[in-house]
Amino acid sequence: MLELVIISTLNGILFGMLLFLMSSGLTVIFSMLGVLNFAHASFYMLGAFFGYQLTRWIGFWPALLIAPVLAGVIGAAVERYGLRNVHKNGHVAELLFTFGLAFAIEEVVQMIWGKSPVDYRVPALLDFPAFTIFSTNYPAYKIFMLLVAVAIFAALLIGIKKTRVGMIVQAALTHPQMVGHLGHNVGRIFMLVFGFGTALAAVAGVIAGPALVTQSNMAGLLGPILFVVVVVGGLGSLPGAFIASLLIGLLQTFAVSINGSLASLFGPLGAGYPLLSDIWNVTIAQIAPILPYVLLVLILIFRPMGLLGTRET
Amino acid sequence: MRRILTAAVLALPFLTGAAMAQETVKVAYIDPLSGGGASVGEVGLKIYQFLAEELNAKGGIGGKKVEIVPFDNKANPQESLVQAQKAIDAGIRYLTQGNGSANAAALSDFVTKHNERNPGKEVLYFNYAAVDPVLTNAKCSYWHFAWDANSDIKMEALTNYIKDTPATKKIYLINQDYSFGESVRSQAKAMLAKKRPDIQIVGDELHPLLKVTDFAPYIAKIKASGADSVITGNWGQDFALLLKAAADAGLKVNWYTYYAGGAGGPTAIKQAGLNHQVFVIGEGQANISTPSSDTFEKALRAKYDVSMWYPRAANEMRMLAAAADKAKSVDPVKVATALEGMEFEVYNGGKGTMRKDDHQFFQPMYISSFGDRSEKEAFDEEKTGWGWRLVAKIDTDKTVLPTTCQMARP
């Protein structure tokens, strides 16, 4: 039992960190530009495929640097030539634009790399078990993912709260005209922030690609849960996203390891009614993957600003 | 005038489509060609197209050219019916489909009703991969022919093999939460209880279909249970991710599977380093060597860069041709009569029979493991360098199970 608790905690933290890595860029864009980017997970996928391709050509470590830059440039271009024009027509148009973009990116990825998973591997340097607990190995690569996520969290927090750039960016969102009058190019700031956010997603892609499976539907698979992280964490709150990621990671992992059902808690109450007994006997493990969405619904009802959010969404 | 002209132009492809159907035998391939199931559907399409080319080189079906027409059902029962209707409207009389028992059940029902209402325009449904036993039992149909062994037949073979491996003491079941996964787990439990009552089922897990991104928590549970073997019907990414998590955690158990051979499976096994610890039950694989299957495998790989992991598709298409020859007609009603009870030399060698009672095809089944290759094993998979090795053969007569089918015959 103790073994399962410790291992589940570790697994939960590892998965939570991966979620944070993916949602940090979405949070940055969402909180600074007010754009709910449906295509964010697609940039994560682009990062994974760029990473895979560059790894084959020049190795993993250069790929880790170059792939996010490439994705960031594409992101910046999307903002400059797409979103900026759409922006005039309001938030719904923006939302639909990014929604369509997600499908377009998936189609392009399928055309180039096909529909089957690609053989994207953990770099040889990190391909060993870091430590063993109760005879379960923890790959060094997962620890590497954890460290990168923490480093990005710290850098982002400092960047936004403490630096001049962060201040200008925050001001540009609430008082764009004032910032413009002060001599800053607001359009360019938005473009850079969007590009930076997509680059962050691509970092997550390059790193998560070998750990999960790199294939053309990976965006659709992880996209929805990123929104859960951002909303639960609270609009505009990076620490909120961090906490929400950990919370969701742990929630899912622990739920999987619980075999209990309503029946095991309250006894076979629903035995007489076949429909009821179905619900009664579903184990918590079975519904684990939908628990984050339950959390999303509850948060929206009872605390719409999210855990650490300051504004209403 | 212009309107009539436009209408005529729009109708043209349909008219020619109907006219063409007289000269060629068209087979509608209804499977996912987009979305999550696309990788599996694409491989199947290439294999069917290759089989059609092979038949055409030998004179086609009943002297007519055969053509495979792809329809994308997006792995969705409702969409399957829409596509089937489109195929029938285009004059196609043979439908083939495989992925997903829910789609198969919907199609079987649809075809049965269509044939009742449209005498003279009957359609046959050839199911090459959906293995829910209900399709050839409670919900059997005269117009449905199943070329893959159903889930019970496969589990019977797997448990017969496990029965004779005394080292197996604790088994963990992990399956996808829908009708097929449900039938795998319940049959595994029932059959093991009869054949090896000493084996302990230490876990019985159902997880959501194609929604899990990280299987590490499930692997932690398997590890904590002390299992030495796992039985799983998982396919697609659910299989690849499960194995990947097992490899990361260093879980070394034996895996008994249905679909380890599916697209992405071999790559995942190689990455997990599970050398000859993953077993699969099926009707053949590349390294079961016969001269004709070797030639076929080489030609298929050279042309389409996929391996032949649907030997049953070859049985299906070749039996369609044989039945048309026997009936001296390509009319589905006559072909159906000819197919009933037909015996046939199957792709990997040996006799197969299409049972008249439930239209279930019985054929030799093989259990194979995946890992490094000896000199006899010529073919690798997915460029991993590893390949399939035969570990047990189950003769056709040992795969026969009773049926509860009460078929309504026309």
Side-chain angles (χ1 to χ4, degrees):
Chain A
M1 192 60 211
L2 179 71
E3 176 183 347
L4 202 57
V5 168
I6 291 175
I7 288 175
S8 293
T9 310
L10 263 172
N11 280 333
I13 292 174
L14 284 170
F15 186 59
M17 283 298 98
L18 183 67
L19 279 181
F20 175 72
L21 213 52
M22 285 187 264
S23 53
S24 57
L26 187 65
T27 306
V28 168
I29 293 173
F30 192 26
S31 59
M32 292 188 177
L33 305 186
V35 177
L36 192 53
N37 182 13
F38 263 103
H40 192 74
S42 308
F43 284 100
Y44 151 74
M45 176 164 77
L46 273 185
F49 276 96
F50 286 168
Y52 158 72
Q53 201 59 53
L54 290 167
T55 300
R56 298 197 105 185
W57 288 337
I58 50 176
F60 179 80
W61 301 105
L64 182 57
L65 288 176
I66 299 172
V69 173
L70 279 179
V73 168
I74 294 175
V78 163
E79 201 283 335
R80 174 68 184 81
Y81 299 105
L83 264 182
R84 196 174 297 180
N85 296 325
V86 177
H87 184 71
K88 299 179 199 112
N89 305 324
H91 279 303
V92 175
E94 264 177 2
L95 212 69
L96 290 174
F97 173 77
T98 58
F99 195 66
L101 188 65
F103 285 102
I105 291 176
E106 183 172 329
E107 204 55 47
V108 170
V109 165
Q110 281 183 355
M111 272 193 255
I112 300 175
W113 287 282
K115 290 168 180 174
S116 318
V118 294
D119 185 16
Y120 186 11
R121 299 194 185 183
V122 170
L125 189 64
L126 290 173
D127 195 9
F128 61 92
F131 56 86
T132 305
I133 298 179
F134 300 108
S135 82
T136 293
N137 294 338
Y138 277 89
Y141 193 73
K142 284 203 166 174
I143 307 304
F144 167 70
M145 277 164 50
L146 181 84
L147 294 178
V148 171
V150 172
I152 285 182
F153 173 61
L156 279 178
L157 212 54
I158 293 168
I160 291 169
K161 299 271 177 200
K162 304 281 179 201
T163 66
R164 252 180 81 81
V165 181
M167 252 153 58
I168 296 168
V169 166
Q170 286 193 66
L173 177 65
T174 46
H175 303 90
Q177 280 173 345
M178 194 62 207
V179 174
H181 287 314
L182 287 171
H184 299 289
N185 185 339
V186 177
R188 189 189 292 158
I189 292 173
F190 278 9
M191 183 180 86
L192 289 177
V193 169
F194 198 86
F196 182 68
T198 51
L200 275 179
V203 171
V206 179
I207 291 175
L212 307 176
V213 172
T214 303
Q215 58 184 0
S216 63
N217 70 342
M218 64 195 285
L221 214 57
L222 275 166
I225 204 156
L226 299 188
F227 293 110
V228 180
V229 172
V230 172
V231 173
V232 171
L235 177 58
S237 171
L238 211 53
F242 189 79
I243 292 170
S245 301
L246 274 181
L247 187 68
I248 289 166
L250 288 170
L251 179 71
Q252 259 188 317
T253 313
F254 270 96
V256 164
S257 61
I258 298 171
N259 275 332
S261 57
L262 286 172
S264 62
L265 258 184
F266 301 109
L269 242 180
Y273 312 89
L275 190 72
L276 203 60
S277 83
D278 269 356
I279 298 169
W280 219 243
N281 290 314
V282 166
T283 63
I284 293 175
Q286 265 172 281
I287 56 163
I290 59 151
L291 284 180
Y293 302 100
V294 175
L295 185 66
L296 172 74
V297 171
L298 292 178
I299 283 276
L300 282 174
I301 294 173
F302 295 109
R303 200 179 157 82
M305 71 287 276
L307 291 177
L308 296 182
T310 45
R311 281 174 285 164
E312 298 254 331
T313 45
Chain B
M1 186 58 207
R2 183 185 278 174
R3 193 176 289 169
I4 296 170
L5 213 67
T6 324
V9 169
L10 284 177
L12 204 65
F14 297 101
L15 292 174
T16 50
M20 290 289 282
Q22 307 300 316
E23 295 150 27
T24 57
V25 179
K26 293 197 183 189
V27 178
Y29 175 85
I30 306 175
D31 255 319
L33 297 169
S34 65
S39 58
V40 184
E42 294 260 297
V43 174
L45 178 59
K46 286 176 179 168
I47 290 172
Y48 271 94
Q49 280 169 339
F50 189 77
L51 284 162
E53 289 160 25
E54 184 195 57
L55 282 176
N56 285 333
K58 289 180 186 161
I61 292 177
K64 295 188 167 67
K65 211 171 149 273
V66 52
E67 187 192 337
I68 305 294
V69 190
F71 289 89
D72 181 10
N73 73 353
K74 303 185 175 83
N76 172 317
Q78 204 54 48
E79 192 64 30
S80 299
L81 302 189
V82 172
Q83 298 302 323
Q85 188 63 54
K86 260 170 79 179
I88 292 170
D89 289 346
I92 299 176
R93 311 275 303 265
Y94 294 94
L95 313 178
T96 194
Q97 180 272 348
N99 294 297
S101 293
N103 306 328
L107 267 181
S108 177
D109 195 40
F110 173 80
V111 167
T112 307
K113 282 185 186 140
H114 170 87
N115 291 350
E116 272 169 20
R117 290 168 193 162
N118 299 281
K121 290 182 180 166
E122 286 84 352
V123 171
L124 290 189
Y125 165 35
F126 292 167
N127 165 11
Y128 73 94
V131 296
D132 191 335
V134 82
L135 292 165
T136 48
N137 285 290
K139 287 189 184 166
C140 67
S141 159
Y142 178 80
W143 308 102
H144 163 262
F145 290 84
W147 262 272
D148 196 5
N150 76 33
S151 169
D152 289 356
I153 298 171
K154 290 183 174 179
M155 188 51 77
E156 177 83 26
L158 271 185
T159 47
N160 278 342
Y161 179 75
I162 292 170
K163 185 180 73 182
D164 299 327
T165 55
T168 311
K169 300 260 184 264
K170 291 179 172 180
I171 290 182
Y172 200 99
L173 308 172
I174 179 162
N175 288 291
Q176 293 152 323
D177 197 358
Y178 76 119
S179 65
F180 162 67
E182 185 66 48
S183 89
V184 170
R185 80 191 260 247
S186 55
Q187 281 302 321
K189 278 195 284 194
M191 288 176 177
L192 283 172
K194 245 189 284 165
K195 293 173 192 174
R196 277 285 299 277
D198 62 307
I199 286 181
Q200 226 183 316
I201 306 286
V202 290
D204 180 9
E205 192 92 54
L206 286 175
H207 65 79
L209 178 65
L210 301 177
K211 285 208 172 53
V212 182
T213 45
D214 184 8
F215 275 93
Y218 295 98
I219 296 297
K221 261 171 106 177
I222 295 176
K223 198 140 202 176
S225 74
D228 55 50
S229 304
V230 175
I231 294 178
T232 178
N234 279 15
W235 51 269
Q237 79 192 17
D238 280 344
F239 179 77
L241 288 172
L242 181 65
L243 270 202
K244 202 158 198 162
D248 281 348
L251 176 71
K252 293 273 181 192
V253 295
N254 289 322
W255 296 80
Y256 294 96
T257 77
Y258 279 42
Y259 295 118
T267 304
I269 300 170
K270 176 69 194 283
Q271 284 185 354
L274 290 163
N275 195 3
H276 291 294
Q277 281 186 288
V278 179
F279 299 85
V280 71
I281 172 85
E283 79 287 12
Q285 37 99 339
N287 290 325
I288 297 170
S289 184
T290 69
S292 80
S293 72
D294 281 1
T295 319
F296 186 95
E297 186 82 40
K298 275 183 201 142
L300 176 68
R301 286 177 184 224
K303 175 134 195 206
Y304 286 115
D305 198 26
V306 296
S307 43
M308 181 59 174
W309 61 282
Y310 291 131
R312 51 190 182 259
N315 299 337
E316 175 190 315
M317 292 300 287
R318 291 171 183 175
M319 278 176 79
L320 171 58
D325 284 345
K326 191 174 151 196
K328 297 190 178 58
S329 163
V330 292
D331 181 58
V333 178
K334 290 180 184 149
V335 167
T337 319
L339 276 175
E340 285 203 309
M342 185 185 239
E343 286 207 352
F344 197 76
E345 178 78 16
V346 297
Y347 175 84
N348 275 115
K351 276 269 174 290
T353 319
M354 178 57 75
R355 183 159 71 183
K356 200 176 171 186
D357 307 344
D358 56 352
H359 293 186
Q360 169 71 55
F361 190 61
F362 290 94
Q363 56 205 317
M365 298 296 285
Y366 302 90
I367 295 174
S368 310
S369 65
F370 192 70
D372 55 13
R373 290 177 294 146
S374 72
E375 278 174 18
K376 281 189 299 176
E377 289 139 9
F379 296 103
D380 74 338
E381 295 292 328
E382 296 184 351
K383 303 182 182 70
T384 55
W386 282 7
W388 293 106
R389 174 176 297 165
L390 180 64
V391 295
K393 180 184 179 192
I394 303 102
D395 290 321
T396 309
D397 53 332
K398 297 245 173 59
T399 69
V400 177
L401 286 179
T403 177
T404 59
C405 171
Q406 290 177 334
M407 195 174 275
R409 290 168 183 280

